[in-house]
Amino acid sequence: MAKGRKRKSGKRHPCGKLVRPSTGETQADVLATVVEARCRQYGVTARQARDERLGSALGRLAFRGLITTDQYSAGQVYATTMGRYRAIMGMPTDQPRSMMALLINEGIFASGDVVHAPDLIEKVRRQAASVQLMLRSCGCAPGCDAGRAAIDLVHRVVIADEDASGWPAADIGNLAQGLEALRKLFHIRTDGS
């Protein structure tokens, strides 16, 4: 008869150690929490809460039908263009979405001093300038003369992720006008391609 205590029953690792039960949340638990929060916050059904557009201010406008899907796509391309511009020019992000991004922006961790090719820098600079020029030259939507400028509105919704649910109709109209100008600039066709 072997001496010592009895071996505990349960699943084991190849090395012989017991597999500890996971105390963390599973992916299904996390998803259920997100779905419940979106249902409560936005007043949607559980099925609608799984729509990825509810995760951003721009997406919520598209979800509610205040902007078209093409304008939503144009906003996403705008975010990518301006993000790439800021990264290549060595500028900090407008809204760091993680603690690591904040530490990199403050210089605590080096972001890697990458030297970009001059032609790439010029190309990105020209793209960002054309986007900003298009938005600055974009006029007000018909009947929306009292609203804010489209460049400000697009930046607030797309880059700063500011919720536009309480905005006046004039601002929503000018925002849609700015996104429509971006749609034309980026050659996003109305058939979704």
Side-chain angles (χ1 to χ4, degrees), residues 102-119:
L102 182 63
L103 293 173
I104 289 171
N105 284 346
E106 295 300 321
I108 296 170
F109 289 117
S111 59
D113 295 326
V114 179
V115 178
H116 299 287
D119 55 335

Side-chain angles (χ1 to χ4, degrees), residues 40-89:
R40 187 177 57 250
Q41 186 171 6
Y42 303 123
V44 295
T45 66
R47 184 174 182 188
Q48 291 172 329
R50 293 178 184 268
D51 192 335
E52 69 180 32
R53 294 178 298 173
L54 289 175
S56 68
L58 182 68
R60 288 189 293 276
L61 291 171
F63 180 79
R64 286 189 272 150
L66 297 174
I67 61 172
T68 66
T69 56
D70 296 331
Q71 291 169 346
Y72 173 67
S73 298
Q76 290 178 317
V77 174
Y78 170 76
T80 303
T81 302
M82 297 312 290
R84 186 173 56 211
Y85 169 73
R86 294 187 74 80
I88 287 181
M89 294 300 151

Side-chain angles (χ1 to χ4, degrees), residues 1-149:
M1 183 159 161
K3 294 197 177 200
R5 64 181 186 177
K6 267 178 113 174
R7 185 175 177 147
K8 294 181 179 178
S9 62
K11 194 171 184 175
R12 295 186 176 271
H13 290 286
C15 66
K17 288 179 98 178
L18 277 172
V19 175
R20 294 188 174 211
S22 175
T23 58
E25 289 182 309
T26 64
Q27 187 174 2
D29 294 338
V30 172
L31 183 61
T33 303
V34 170
V35 167
E36 179 187 333
R38 285 182 177 177
C39 289
R40 187 177 57 250
Q41 186 171 6
Y42 303 123
V44 295
T45 66
R47 184 174 182 188
Q48 291 172 329
R50 293 178 184 268
D51 192 335
E52 69 180 32
R53 294 178 298 173
L54 289 175
S56 68
L58 182 68
R60 288 189 293 276
L61 291 171
F63 180 79
R64 286 189 272 150
L66 297 174
I67 61 172
T68 66
T69 56
D70 296 331
Q71 291 169 346
Y72 173 67
S73 298
Q76 290 178 317
V77 174
Y78 170 76
T80 303
T81 302
M82 297 312 290
R84 186 173 56 211
Y85 169 73
R86 294 187 74 80
I88 287 181
M89 294 300 151
M91 303 163 89
T93 58
D94 284 332
Q95 287 272 322
R97 305 218 183 256
S98 68
M99 183 55 79
M100 184 54 77
L102 182 63
L103 293 173
I104 289 171
N105 284 346
E106 295 300 321
I108 296 170
F109 289 117
S111 59
D113 295 326
V114 179
V115 178
H116 299 287
D119 55 335
L120 175 66
I121 293 172
E122 187 59 31
K123 178 184 174 187
V124 169
R125 184 178 286 154
R126 272 188 270 121
Q127 286 175 341
S130 66
V131 165
Q132 291 175 342
L133 180 64
M134 176 63 77
L135 286 174
R136 280 194 177 96
S137 64
C138 182
C140 293
C144 300
D145 296 333
R148 293 178 280 183

